[in-house]
Amino acid sequence: MDHDSMHNMSPPSSSSSMTNHTKPHMMMMHMTFFWGKNTEVLFSGWPGTSSGMYALCLIVVFLLAVIAEWLAHSRILRGGDATSRAAGIAQTAVYTLRTGLSYLVMLAVMSFNGGVFIVAIAGYAVGFLLFGSTAFKKPSDDQKISGLLPPSSGCVC
């Protein structure tokens, strides 16, 4: 290939470049994690530069993650014994809501703000601790009885 002819080419004109000169105050999106309150999360201009709004943003992301975990471990989503069409529709609605909330948390984390990332992880952890782990669950009657019985030897005789 002859690459010598490329040295004589003129640079691209400003009209064909990727820069947009019509919006001089457009905020660049971070592609690496950063710390600070000056960020945009989920909506243009939110939370802005206010420390109070940034704190509200962190609380909202935390609560979204906790609610998503709560819905993931709800009885409606597990189905239970109900096999009716209404129960299936309710199960689908809860699943859809949980998925939407999880995507909102994901989009918030994509702001690459370190604080938002930490509160999202903390929200999922607290949500799982409260609703998914066995730390705060009362043992059911079946578990109480099985705890009193000696372990099975595996023999069916």
Side-chain angles (χ1 to χ4, degrees), residues 4-5 7 11 14 18 24-25 31 33 41 48 52 63 66 82 86 101 107 111 119-120 135 145 147-148:
D4 292 332
S5 64
H7 295 290
S14 62
M18 298 289 284
H25 299 291
M31 297 308 284
F33 279 104
V41 178
L63 291 176
V66 170
L101 292 175
L107 288 172
S111 70
V119 299
I145 294 172
L148 298 174

Side-chain angles (χ1 to χ4, degrees), residues 7-149:
H7 295 290
N8 296 333
M9 293 178 68
S10 63
S13 66
S14 62
S15 63
S16 66
S17 69
M18 298 289 284
T19 59
N20 185 359
H21 297 289
T22 59
K23 295 181 182 179
H25 299 291
M26 194 168 92
M27 193 171 172
M28 289 287 296
M29 184 176 151
H30 287 270
M31 297 308 284
T32 58
F33 279 104
F34 69 99
W35 298 99
K37 65 178 178 58
N38 298 338
T39 186
E40 284 188 351
V41 178
L42 297 178
F43 305 104
S44 179
W46 188 72
T49 59
S50 166
S51 296
M53 289 304 289
Y54 180 68
L56 177 66
C57 167
L58 296 179
I59 292 168
V60 167
V61 171
F62 180 84
L63 291 176
L64 285 174
V66 170
I67 293 169
E69 271 303 303
W70 172 62
L71 290 174
H73 297 286
S74 70
R75 290 187 179 181
I76 295 174
L77 198 56
R78 284 185 276 166
D81 297 332
T83 57
S84 70
R85 191 170 304 217
I89 291 172
Q91 187 179 20
T92 302
V94 169
Y95 175 80
T96 303
L97 181 62
R98 179 189 66 93
T99 304
L101 292 175
S102 297
Y103 275 119
L104 281 175
V105 173
M106 178 200 66
L107 288 172
V109 169
M110 287 177 62
S111 70
F112 288 98
N113 182 279
V116 172
F117 176 73
I118 288 172
V119 299
I121 297 299
Y124 278 118
V126 168
F128 182 80
L129 178 68
L130 295 176
F131 308 113
S133 76
T134 58
F136 296 110
K137 290 185 179 179
K138 290 189 234 176
S140 67
D141 291 332
D142 294 337
Q143 291 173 338
K144 288 178 186 174
I145 294 172
S146 67
L148 298 174
L149 298 174

